[in-house]
């Protein structure tokens, strides 16, 4: 089971090659406040000085530190061969190259070997400043460092910035919040072990490390406490109760260590000597607990905990890797294969787009919208809901007043009074009303045209994602389809205009529905006339003009209004003149010696309509309404058919031939199939990630075969 940790290191290497953090691997995350001794604990585990030191915040980027144990008799530096899949089985295969005792490697410097640990420390500082700057700010981008040594146990540790409360110097004002969010990001990983570091000369109950660990691990199953600076406690006190868990119990245990003092560091005291002094101190101060504390015991405990933790996490890790591999395989498939036969690829994409466009209209597309109507369903909605409701909302007599009807009747009689309602007045007025159906019909064409334009985008986004690989081809297809729709729009509009013009060209008063309506209407009028004779005091229609003065002796229309008759001959409306002229002064007898100008004789502003006029107006209005409803029904039926024939079906039938005719040309192949840089990069990233996941899956499969798991 010892080989499980190198396996995790190997998996970490695999995912580092693609720069991805999609898999949460088991690791030990070190948290603590500034100056709590985190760096000293890590250096004790490594056995070498390798971490930057100084005042204030020194660790400003996460440091992922992988410790790899190599046999003492095989002291050679690694080469690039450590990426072999079998390297985890035999640690000796990790050390091929130049002779060396211990060495380190950074991910960002590729295969460069560091044998001087001072150089490692300097590289950490340089890389920190490169990303985080020199203003004491922090960054969440980690530094990956791997240490090969015969003096370490296999571990994967993450060193994080120390928690702080007050910004110092030029630190950001929200430095506390930034560090807290960074720590929570790492310790929230359910596959991590939390190493909470607390100084012994502080109150355990106020430990910030244990507090933040408890937020992500309330049950304490992943938390191990480390008590540092045991030698700095006040005289007369000890940490016995703390180490035994009597103050704050920790399930994974509490381990005390003694770090090097700043004086020891300044005097270049080596870690090996420090560990010997630590053992002597524990034997003297805590003899009963000496074997269960100290740096060596901490390293063995962490190694054991990590191995068991890895074993527990592997089943879920294997499932996660397989799921991700399947997802990235699907993603890679959606990006398409590199183009080999340009001619065949272009024809295939054109055909697929045309097919999906037609299928979207027919309702048989692969991708069905669930949030809104699309394609043929929206066209159907436009025909039967939008257009249908609009036509039904058109009032047959809208914009037509009783005065308009009466004026048309009088104009149609000429100079002689008519005995019957003139048929010309009906035809004149009904054409005026039928003409109002043209605008809604043309608007219906416009809405369908807009929807067919929207179908292009729908197919690009959902049905033919391959087009996203070739932006020039996508733009060319959109242009061709848009031009085709644009060419069909005036033809369809002309047909719809003709449908209304056809209705205006011949008013068919012999229409069966119109004849039946006339018969019913005549019976209703006769009955209405008898009712009016029986009740002469009934209230006149709302549309009739209000009476002025007595009104009873007002002359019939067409008699006595010479000014109106004269203006009518010039094209003016006499009734409008009557309606809006201000009331004249009372009539007086002409004085003797003055001539009387008949054109200046005032007439009443308004009057009641006579029974004859009311009857004539009602007849015309009812005839108009009856015939208008017939025409509206015809238009409501014929316009959708015209739009389908001249626009929708024509585009469906000619789309593919239009695309092939304009785009399938040898001189355009290379230009149209130029792949976007973004798509090429995304395909490469997906392919690399899929390869990494497949390698990770292979490593885990080999673990099962060797019975390590």
């Amino acid at each position: 089971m010892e080989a499980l940790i190198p396996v995790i290191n190997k998996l970490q290497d695999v995912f580092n090659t693609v720069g991805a953090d999609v898999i949460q691997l088991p690791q030990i995350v070190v948290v603590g406040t500034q100056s709590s001794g985190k760096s000293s604990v890590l250096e004790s585990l490594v056995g070498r000085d390798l971490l930057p030191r100084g005042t204030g915040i020194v660790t400003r980027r996460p440091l992922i530190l992988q410790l790899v144990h190599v046999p003492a008799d095989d002291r050679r530096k690694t080469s690039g061969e450590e990426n072999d899949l079998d390297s985890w089985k035999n640690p000796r295969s990790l050390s091929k190259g130049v002779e060396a005792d211990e060495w380190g490697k950074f991910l960002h410097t590729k295969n460069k070997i560091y044998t001087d640990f001072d150089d490692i420390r300097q590289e950490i500082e340089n890389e920190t400043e490169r990303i985080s700057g020199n203003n004491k700010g922090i960054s969440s981008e980690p530094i990956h460092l791997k240490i090969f040594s015969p003096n370490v146990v296999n571990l994967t540790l993450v060193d994080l910035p120390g928690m702080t409360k007050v910004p110092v110097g030029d630190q950001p004002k929200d430095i506390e919040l930034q560090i807290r969010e960074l720590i929570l990001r790492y310790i929230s990983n359910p596959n991590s072990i939390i190493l909470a570091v607390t100084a012994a000369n502080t109150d355990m109950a106020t430990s910030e490390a244990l507090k933040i660990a408890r937020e992500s691990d309330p049950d304490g199953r992943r938390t191990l406490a480390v008590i540092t600076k045991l030698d700095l406690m006040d005289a007369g006190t000890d940490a016995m109760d703390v180490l035994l868990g009597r103050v704050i119990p920790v399930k994974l245990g509490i381990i005390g260590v003694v770090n090097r003092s700043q004086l020891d560091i300044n005097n270049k005291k080596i870690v090996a000597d420090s560990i010997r002094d630590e053992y002597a101190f524990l034997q003297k101060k805590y003899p009963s607990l000496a074997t269960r504390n100290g740096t060596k015991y901490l390293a063995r405990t962490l190694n054991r905990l990590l191995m068991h933790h890895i074993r527990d996490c592997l089943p879920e890790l294997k499932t996660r890797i397989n799921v991700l591999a399947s997802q990235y395989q699907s993603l890679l498939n959606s990006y398409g294969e590199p183009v080999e036969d340009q001619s065949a690829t272009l024809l295939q994409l054109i055909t697929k787009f045309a097919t999906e466009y037609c299928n979207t209209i027919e309702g048989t597309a692969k991708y069905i919208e669930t949030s809104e109507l699309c394609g043929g369903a929206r066209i159907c909605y436009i025909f039967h809901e939008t257009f249908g409701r609009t036509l039904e909302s058109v009032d047959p007599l809208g914009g037509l007043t009783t005065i308009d009807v009466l004026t048309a009747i009088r104009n149609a009689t000429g100079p002689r009074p008519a005995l019957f309602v003139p048929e010309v007045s009906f035809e004149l007025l009904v054409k005026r009303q039928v003409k109002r159906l043209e605008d809604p019909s043309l608007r219906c064409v416009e809405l369908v045209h807009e929807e067919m334009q929207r179908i292009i985008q729908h197919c690009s986004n959902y049905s033919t994602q391959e087009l996203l690989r070739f932006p020039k081809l996508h733009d060319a297809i959109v242009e061709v389809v848009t031009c085709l729709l644009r060419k069909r729009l005036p033809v369809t509009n002309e047909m719809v205009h003709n449908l209304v013009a056809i209705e205006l060209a011949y008013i068919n008063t012999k229409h069966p529905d119109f004849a039946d309506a006339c018969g019913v209407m005549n019976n209703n009028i006769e009955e209405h006339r008898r009712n009016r004779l029986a009740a002469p005091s009934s209230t006149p229609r709302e549309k009739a003009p209000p009476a002025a003065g007595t009104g009873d002796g007002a002359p019939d229309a067409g008699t006595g209004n010479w000014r109106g008759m004269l203006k009518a001959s010039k094209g003016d409306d006499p009734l409008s003149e009557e309606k809006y002229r201000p009331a004249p002064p009372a009539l007086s007898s002409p004085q003797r010696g003055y001539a009387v100008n008949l054109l200046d004789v005032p007439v009443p502003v308004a009057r009641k309509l006579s029974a004859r006029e009311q009857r004539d107006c009602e007849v015309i209005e009812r005839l108009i309404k009856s015939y208008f409803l017939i025409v509206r029904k015809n238009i409501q039926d014929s316009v959708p058919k015209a739009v389908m024939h001249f626009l929708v079906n024509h585009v469906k039938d000619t789309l593919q031939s239009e695309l092939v005719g304009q785009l399938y040309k040898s001189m355009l192949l290379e230009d149209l199939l130029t792949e976007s840089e973004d798509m090429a990069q995304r395909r490469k990233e997906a392919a690399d990630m899929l390869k990494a996941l497949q390698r990770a899956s292979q490593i885990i499969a080999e673990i099962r075969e060797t019975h390590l798991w």
Side-chain angles (χ1 to χ4, degrees):
M1 195 168 68
E2 178 71 22
L4 286 178
I5 296 178
V7 168
I8 294 300
N9 289 342
K10 187 61 189 176
L11 291 177
Q12 183 71 60
D13 292 340
V14 168
F15 293 118
N16 286 345
T17 58
V18 293
D21 191 20
V22 294
I23 296 292
Q24 294 179 319
L25 297 173
Q27 55 194 5
I28 299 171
V29 182
V30 185
V31 297
T33 58
Q34 286 186 23
S35 303
S36 61
K38 292 191 300 86
S39 297
S40 296
V41 171
L42 289 174
E43 288 182 336
S44 297
L45 292 173
V46 177
R48 299 293 295 266
D49 294 333
L50 78 162
L51 298 178
R53 291 183 176 274
T55 58
I57 180 171
V58 177
T59 303
R60 297 189 287 125
R61 289 179 59 184
L63 175 66
I64 299 180
L65 180 61
Q66 293 177 283
L67 305 183
V68 181
H69 177 78
V70 292
D73 57 349
D74 194 357
R75 299 178 290 179
R76 288 173 295 175
K77 289 184 290 187
T78 64
S79 67
E81 299 180 15
E82 70 176 89
N83 288 327
D84 295 338
L85 285 174
D86 292 336
S87 62
W88 62 270
K89 299 178 183 176
N90 181 12
R92 293 176 180 271
S93 64
L94 291 171
S95 51
K96 296 179 181 180
V98 183
E99 296 288 335
D101 292 331
E102 299 173 295
W103 65 93
K105 288 183 62 177
F106 287 96
L107 176 65
H108 63 273
T109 58
K110 305 303 179 184
N111 291 324
K112 182 178 179 180
I113 305 299
Y114 293 83
T115 57
D116 188 339
F117 281 79
D118 289 335
D119 292 340
I120 292 178
R121 180 190 306 108
Q122 187 61 47
E123 181 60 31
I124 293 175
E125 293 178 357
N126 295 340
E127 182 65 10
T128 298
E129 291 188 1
R130 186 180 70 84
I131 299 297
S132 304
N134 54 9
N135 64 343
K136 299 300 182 180
I138 66 170
S139 171
S140 60
E141 184 176 344
I143 299 174
H144 293 267
L145 172 62
K146 186 179 292 187
I147 300 296
F148 299 88
S149 171
N151 303 318
V152 299
V153 294
N154 292 310
L155 288 176
T156 299
L157 301 143
V158 181
D159 186 23
L160 296 174
M163 290 178 286
T164 184
K165 289 292 185 181
V166 181
V168 177
D170 56 356
Q171 287 181 350
K173 293 183 178 180
D174 63 339
I175 187 69
E176 178 187 3
L177 181 60
Q178 290 185 28
I179 294 175
R180 177 181 174 83
E181 291 178 348
L182 180 61
I183 292 174
L184 288 174
R185 173 182 169 185
Y186 277 88
I187 65 176
S188 296
N189 173 11
N191 295 333
S192 66
I193 294 176
I194 305 172
L195 192 64
V197 179
T198 304
N201 55 0
T202 61
D203 190 348
M204 189 75 169
T206 62
S207 172
E208 291 290 336
L210 288 175
K211 178 183 177 183
I212 198 170
R214 188 167 294 178
E215 292 182 23
S216 296
D217 181 33
D219 297 333
R221 292 180 296 180
R222 298 188 289 115
T223 303
L224 174 68
V226 176
I227 306 301
T228 62
K229 304 182 180 181
L230 292 176
D231 56 332
L232 299 182
M233 297 189 68
D234 292 340
T237 62
D238 60 33
M240 185 68 71
D241 290 342
V242 172
L243 295 176
L244 292 175
R246 295 170 182 169
V247 178
I248 296 180
V250 180
K251 287 188 177 180
L252 293 185
I254 302 175
I255 299 175
V257 297
V258 177
N259 302 327
R260 290 178 298 168
S261 65
Q262 187 61 46
L263 179 62
D264 293 336
I265 297 173
N266 296 338
N267 293 334
K268 304 296 183 180
K269 183 178 181 178
I270 63 175
V271 176
D273 293 342
S274 175
I275 292 177
R276 280 198 303 271
D277 293 344
E278 176 191 50
Y279 180 74
F281 174 83
L282 291 174
Q283 286 288 354
K284 178 180 178 181
K285 291 286 293 184
Y286 306 95
S288 61
L289 301 178
T291 57
R292 288 183 291 160
N293 289 276
T295 300
K296 289 188 175 181
Y297 180 78
L298 174 63
R300 292 195 302 271
T301 302
L302 289 175
N303 178 265
R304 175 177 53 82
L305 289 175
L306 187 58
M307 284 191 299
H308 286 283
H309 195 61
I310 291 172
R311 184 188 60 186
D312 295 339
C313 293
L314 276 178
E316 183 181 351
L317 191 62
K318 177 178 180 295
T319 302
R320 174 67 174 160
I321 289 175
N322 291 338
V323 169
L324 281 175
S326 176
Q327 292 176 351
Y328 274 92
Q329 182 66 64
S330 300
L331 182 62
L332 188 60
N333 293 340
S334 69
Y335 294 151
E337 297 295 332
V339 178
E340 296 180 358
D341 188 341
Q342 291 184 332
S343 179
T345 300
L346 179 60
L347 185 60
Q348 179 184 6
L349 290 175
I350 289 176
T351 302
K352 184 172 183 179
F353 178 88
T355 301
E356 291 297 334
Y357 189 93
C358 296
N359 288 344
T360 303
I361 295 176
E362 294 295 333
T364 57
K366 181 179 179 181
Y367 296 92
I368 300 296
E369 280 278 7
T370 57
S371 58
E372 61 177 354
L373 293 178
C374 177
R378 181 175 285 274
I379 293 175
C380 179
Y381 183 86
I382 292 171
F383 286 157
H384 302 292
E385 297 294 332
T386 306
F387 178 59
R389 287 201 306 267
T390 302
L391 288 188
E392 291 173 1
S393 67
V394 177
D395 184 3
L397 300 176
L400 196 63
T401 65
T402 303
I403 296 300
D404 295 334
V405 177
L406 187 57
T407 301
I409 294 174
R410 291 173 60 183
N411 285 336
T413 60
R416 296 175 299 277
L419 295 176
F420 304 100
V421 178
E423 190 172 324
V424 177
S425 61
F426 160 72
E427 186 169 336
L428 173 68
L429 293 173
V430 81
K431 285 183 178 180
R432 171 179 164 181
Q433 298 306 103
V434 169
K435 183 69 175 176
R436 298 169 62 219
L437 297 176
E438 184 173 8
D439 286 343
S441 301
L442 294 176
R443 177 59 180 160
C444 176
V445 178
E446 183 180 351
L447 291 175
V448 174
H449 176 267
E450 291 175 358
E451 177 55 29
M452 296 193 71
Q453 191 72 36
R454 288 178 67 244
I455 295 176
I456 302 175
Q457 190 63 36
H458 171 82
C459 293
S460 301
N461 291 342
Y462 297 98
S463 303
T464 53
Q465 291 188 4
E466 293 92 337
L467 285 178
L468 299 178
R469 295 174 55 191
F470 312 108
K472 291 185 178 180
L473 175 59
H474 175 266
D475 294 342
I477 289 178
V478 171
E479 180 64 24
V480 171
V481 181
T482 301
C483 289
L484 178 60
L485 291 172
R486 192 183 301 123
K487 286 192 299 184
R488 298 307 301 173
L489 186 59
V491 178
T492 310
N493 282 335
E494 182 65 21
M495 183 59 196
V496 171
H497 173 78
N498 287 336
L499 289 176
V500 179
I502 289 170
E503 296 290 348
L504 295 173
Y506 181 64
I507 305 301
N508 183 17
T509 55
K510 291 295 185 181
H511 193 284
D513 295 341
F514 186 67
D516 295 342
C518 288
V520 174
M521 180 194 65
N522 290 333
N523 294 335
N524 292 339
I525 290 177
E526 184 61 27
E527 181 179 356
H528 181 64
R529 186 182 65 80
R530 290 196 298 267
N531 292 338
R532 287 177 58 84
L533 293 176
S537 60
S538 59
T539 304
R541 290 190 309 123
E542 291 181 359
K543 291 185 178 181
T550 59
D552 295 341
D556 288 349
T559 61
N561 190 351
W562 299 103
R563 181 183 297 275
M565 293 172 60
L566 200 58
K567 288 191 175 184
S569 66
K570 297 179 182 179
D572 295 330
D573 187 349
L575 293 177
S576 298
E577 182 77 14
E578 295 173 6
K579 182 175 181 180
Y580 295 105
R581 180 185 303 173
L587 293 177
S588 60
S589 300
Q591 296 181 2
R592 190 178 186 84
Y594 289 90
V596 177
N597 187 350
L598 292 178
L599 295 181
D600 290 335
V601 176
V603 295
V605 176
R607 58 176 176 77
K608 287 184 178 180
L609 297 182
S610 66
R612 167 72 180 274
E613 290 172 336
Q614 290 189 14
R615 185 197 64 189
D616 291 349
C617 289
E618 289 178 3
V619 168
I620 294 298
E621 288 177 354
R622 296 193 182 195
L623 289 174
I624 291 172
K625 184 175 182 180
S626 176
Y627 195 81
F628 180 87
L629 295 178
I630 295 172
V631 175
R632 186 172 72 182
K633 184 178 180 181
N634 293 340
I635 294 296
Q636 191 170 352
D637 178 64
S638 58
V639 167
K641 294 178 179 178
V643 175
M644 286 298 298
H645 176 71
F646 286 92
L647 181 60
V648 179
N649 290 341
H650 187 277
V651 171
K652 283 172 49 184
D653 296 339
T654 61
L655 178 59
Q656 182 165 350
S657 60
E658 191 79 12
L659 289 171
V660 172
Q662 296 195 35
L663 302 181
Y664 191 64
K665 299 176 181 179
S666 58
M667 64 187 71
L668 299 177
L669 285 177
E670 186 173 351
D671 184 55
L672 292 177
L673 294 180
T674 300
E675 194 171 35
S676 66
E677 294 181 2
D678 178 64
M679 182 59 68
Q681 179 64 25
R682 288 161 62 183
R683 185 194 296 106
K684 181 180 181 302
E685 291 175 355
D688 291 344
M689 178 56 70
L690 179 61
K691 183 178 179 181
L693 290 168
Q694 290 172 342
R695 291 176 63 192
S697 180
Q698 182 179 352
I699 291 173
I700 294 180
E702 291 183 3
I703 296 174
R704 296 184 69 94
E705 293 175 1
T706 53
H707 306 289
L708 291 175
W709 170 25

